[in-house]
C-alpha cells in the first residue's frame, strides 16, 4: 500500500476520536433504554423541560426589552415574554396536559408524514426501494392511528417510548461509527503508522 494511502488511513477523523464517540454512544443508548423502560417519567420530564425552556425564553425577551431601540419594541418584547412565561408556567404546573397535547401532535405527525411517504413511494414508479418507502409510510399511518385511537391513554407511554427508541437508535449508530473508527485505527497501526488516537 502506498504512503498516500497510509496517510489517508492515519488522518481519518474517526480513527483518532473513536473512544469518546463510543462513550457518548453508550451513554445515549443507556438513556434510551431507561426512557423506554420508564416512558411515563420520560414524557413528564420532557413536558417540564419544555416549560422551563419557555420560561427561559420569557426572561430573554424581558432582558431584550431593555435594549430595544424604542418603547414600541420594548412593549412587544414584554408581551412576548408574558406569553412565553404563561405557556411555560402552564407546562410546568400541568405536565400531564402537555403530555396529552404532545401525543395528539405526534399522532397527527405520524399520519400526515406516512401519507406523504406513501404518495412519494407511489410516485417513484420503476425506482428501486420504492416499496420500502411505501411500507414506511403505511407503518407511520398505522402507528399514528393507533396512538390517536388510544388517546388519551396512549399519552402515558407514546412520547417516552418513541423518544427512548430515538435515543437508543442514535446511541447504537454512534457506537457503530466508533467501531468503524477503531478498525481504521487498528489498520493504521498494522501498517506501521502511529495513529494519533492510540
Amino acid at each position: 500500500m502506498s504512503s498516500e494511502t497510509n496517510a489517508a488511513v492515519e488522518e481519518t477523523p474517526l480513527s483518532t476520536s473513536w473512544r469518546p464517540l463510543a462513550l457518548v454512544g453508550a451513554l445515549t443508548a443507556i438513556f434510551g433504554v431507561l426512557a423506554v423502560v420508564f416512558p411515563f417519567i420520560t414524557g413528564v420530564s420532557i413536558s417540564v423541560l419544555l416549560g422551563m425552556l419557555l420560561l427561559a425564553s420569557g426572561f430573554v425577551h424581558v432582558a431584550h426589552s431593555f435594549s430595544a431601540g424604542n418603547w414600541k419594541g420594548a412593549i412587544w418584547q414584554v408581551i412576548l415574554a408574558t406569553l412565553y412565561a404563561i405557556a411555560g408556567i402552564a407546562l410546568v404546573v400541568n405536565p400531564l396536559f402537555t403530555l396529552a397535547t404532545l401525543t395528539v401532535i405526534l399522532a397527527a405527525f405520524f399520519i400526515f408524514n406516512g401519507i406523504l411517504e406513501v404518495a412519494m413511494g407511489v410516485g417513484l414508479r420503476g425506482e428501486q426501494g420504492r416499496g420500502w418507502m411505501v411500507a414506511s409510510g403505511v407503518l407511520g399511518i398505522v402507528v399514528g392511528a393507533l396512538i390517536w385511537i388510544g388517546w388519551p391513554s396512549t399519552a402515558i407511554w407514546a412520547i417516552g417510548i418513541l423518544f427512548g427508541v430515538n435515543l437508543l437508535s442514535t446511541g447504537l449508530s454512534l457506537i457503530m461509527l466508533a467501531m468503524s473508527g477503531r478498525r481504521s485505527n487498528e489498520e493504521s497501526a498494522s501498517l506501521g503508522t502511529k495513529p494519533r488516537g492510540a
Side-chain angles (χ1 to χ4, degrees), residues 62-111:
V62 169
H64 186 64
S65 66
F66 291 103
S67 61
N70 51 62
W71 64 271
K72 291 183 179 180
I75 289 177
W76 280 113
Q77 291 296 329
V78 171
I79 292 174
L80 286 174
T82 303
L83 292 176
Y84 275 102
I86 293 173
I89 292 172
L91 297 188
V92 171
V93 172
N94 193 0
L96 296 181
F97 174 77
T98 306
L99 193 57
T101 304
L102 289 176
T103 303
V104 172
I105 295 174
L106 182 67
F109 169 77
F110 273 118
I111 292 173

